[in-house]
């Protein structure tokens, strides 16, 4: 099994590494990664005091918001999100064929 690779404009190979997970205990919800991503992969989600995700965003129990990989299928594996993240929250993985 080898990793799926792409080509740069100059014809060099590169290996996309796709966003898998964001560590919700490290994320400060700063939104830097959201701005860096042009592929509609990420979204902010609310957590309650216990650190559990809250379904109703109007709920009073919201403690803080963190980024999540909401649309994994849209990711192109550029890693712009993790390069800009100040808290090293991301896990990425290459795709095998
Ligand atoms: S790897 Fe690129 S496309 Fe995927 S979530 Fe990060 S910035 Fe968006
Ligand atoms: S850049 Fe890092 S800390 Fe900021 S919202 Fe994204 S994952 Fe969270």
């Amino acid at each position: 099994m080898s990793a799926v690779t792409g080509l740069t404009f100059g014809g060099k190979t590169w290996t996309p590494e796709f966003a898998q997970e964001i560590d919700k205990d490290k994320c400060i919800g700063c939104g830097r990664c959201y701005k860096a991503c042009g592929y509609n992969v990420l979204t902010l989600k609310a957590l309650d005091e216990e650190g559990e995700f809250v379904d109703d965003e109007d709920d009073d129990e919201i403690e803080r918001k963190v980024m999540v990989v909401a649309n994994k299928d849209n990711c192109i594996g550029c890693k712009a999100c993790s390069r800009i993240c100040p808290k090293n929250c991301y896990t990425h993985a290459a795709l095998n064929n």
Side-chain angles (χ1 to χ4, degrees):
M1 242 174 16
S2 59
V4 171
T5 56
L7 292 178
T8 68
F9 184 60
K12 290 182 186 159
T13 57
W14 69 286
T15 304
E17 290 182 46
F18 302 95
Q20 301 297 300
E21 251 186 298
I22 296 167
D23 187 334
K24 69 178 162 66
D25 298 326
K26 288 188 191 167
C27 178
I28 56 171
C30 69
R32 286 179 175 90
C33 56
Y34 183 86
K35 287 183 192 157
C37 178
Y39 293 89
N40 189 27
V41 178
L42 308 168
T43 195
L44 273 176
K45 276 199 89 175
L47 295 177
D48 65 16
E49 275 180 16
E50 277 83 46
E52 301 296 328
F53 285 108
V54 176
D55 286 333
D56 181 1
E57 297 272 323
D58 297 325
D59 206 309
D60 290 343
E61 291 172 19
I62 291 174
E63 173 77 5
R64 64 193 180 97
K65 289 194 173 185
V66 294
M67 205 61 71
V68 297
V69 182
N71 304 306
K72 201 182 259 186
D73 289 354
N74 289 349
C75 181
I76 64 161
C78 67
K79 290 186 86 178
C81 49
S82 61
R83 274 198 298 278
I84 205 149
C85 176
K87 296 291 178 183
N88 196 24
C89 299
Y90 276 87
T91 308
H92 290 257
L95 199 64
N96 287 313
N97 60 8

